Amino acid sequence: MASKEYGVDLDALDQLVKELNQVLKDMGGPKDKAKNQTYLADGALGKGFDERDKMHKAHNDMKDFIQQQIVDKIEGLIHDFGDKSKKTKEHYEDAEHDNKFK
């Protein structure tokens, strides 16, 4: 039976980590917009009627949902995948280094 060797492209893993870090950096724009650029002034919808309060609350609830349930979770997922990819690359590098000295 022939021996099969498997290889891991460490440069590709390194590139993946760099690109994921750039995505995280770029996520600052949507995160900032979700947090700071969707402001609805208190009197922007008028005053003195029940629907105004409901609409203002709905706006704030949606703003929080976008920031916390969408943007933050996507950012966390990318960060987690990037960390795991970096650790995988480091483990392969360590194994490659150890095999050279055996």
Side-chain angles (χ1 to χ4, degrees), residues 32-90:
D32 180 60
K33 284 183 182 179
K35 184 176 182 180
N36 300 315
Q37 296 181 16
T38 57
Y39 176 73
L40 182 61
D42 192 40
L45 301 173
K47 292 189 184 233
F49 60 99
D50 290 338
E51 290 82 2
R52 176 250 169 245
D53 293 336
K54 290 177 186 176
M55 290 183 348
H56 201 270
K57 182 182 180 321
H59 171 268
N60 288 334
D61 290 347
M62 184 56 67
K63 175 182 166 181
D64 291 342
F65 178 81
I66 290 169
Q67 181 185 348
Q68 296 169 2
Q69 299 297 321
I70 298 175
V71 177
D72 285 353
K73 286 188 178 186
I74 291 171
E75 191 176 59
L77 177 70
I78 294 168
H79 183 72
D80 185 46
F81 187 66
D83 281 350
K84 288 178 181 177
S85 298
K86 182 179 178 185
K87 287 177 185 173
T88 300
K89 176 187 174 275
E90 290 169 354

Side-chain angles (χ1 to χ4, degrees), residues 91-102:
H91 286 298
Y92 275 110
E93 284 176 330
D94 291 345
E96 191 175 86
H97 183 265
D98 291 344
N99 284 334
K100 284 183 181 180
F101 292 104
K102 284 186 177 183

Side-chain angles (χ1 to χ4, degrees), residues 11-30:
D11 291 333
L13 274 173
D14 190 45
Q15 184 62 31
L16 173 68
V17 171
K18 287 178 184 176
E19 289 178 15
L20 288 172
N21 286 335
Q22 184 60 47
V23 170
L24 283 175
K25 184 178 174 185
D26 293 343
M27 288 288 296

